[in-house]
Amino acid sequence: MSDYILLVIAIILMLLGIIGCLVPVLPGPPLSYLGLILLHITRFADFSSTILIVLAAIAVVVTILDYIVPVWGTKKFGGSKYGTRGATVGLIIGLFLGPLGIIIGPFIGAVVGELIFKDDMKYALRAGFGSLLGFLTGIGLKLAASFIMTFYFVKEWIA
């Protein structure tokens, strides 16, 4: 009975992990990894130590990169922390507007943030693009990591 409870919690964690790749307040890959660990301690799966270590390393590296890549993208295109913060606010608002909002929201937020910092539209658009690019790269890395973990989760659970 407890294996089934752990399985349900593990599935919820895997789903939250994928959602967490898009929602800034949830740590996507670490939640996905925790779901794998819960599945591992049930009778439904038995991951090798190597897989668990490699996937843990991926979760840690991607989580660290998620903080570095947006800043790098913003700086590469001449932006400021206002652009990065604006992109985050834009994403949160964009979540309520569907898939297109998730893409357009961070860009508009970054541009508005940069306009608050410096009243220059050309600068704001360039810096906003850099912030958006870095932000979306971070999301892509997190999604890739969580989907890899989800693949192993499903493969092991079904096998």
Side-chain angles (χ1 to χ4, degrees), residues 15-95:
L15 293 172
L16 285 175
I18 292 170
I19 292 168
C21 294
L22 301 172
V23 179
V25 296
L26 293 174
L31 288 174
S32 294
Y33 185 74
L34 189 55
L36 280 175
I37 294 297
L38 284 183
L39 183 66
H40 178 68
I41 63 175
T42 69
R43 64 184 166 98
F44 300 113
D46 186 27
F47 294 102
S48 71
S49 297
T50 304
I51 281 290
L52 291 175
I53 291 168
V54 168
L55 292 176
I58 289 172
V60 168
V61 168
V62 167
T63 300
I64 292 169
L65 284 176
D66 186 43
Y67 290 100
I68 296 170
V69 171
V71 173
W72 175 82
T74 301
K75 287 183 180 180
K76 186 78 173 166
F77 284 80
S80 70
K81 63 184 174 186
Y82 291 91
T84 304
R85 290 178 184 161
T88 302
V89 171
L91 172 69
I92 292 168
I93 293 169
L95 288 172

Side-chain angles (χ1 to χ4, degrees), residues 127-138:
F129 178 73
S131 179
L132 173 67
L133 188 63
F135 188 75
L136 291 177
T137 300

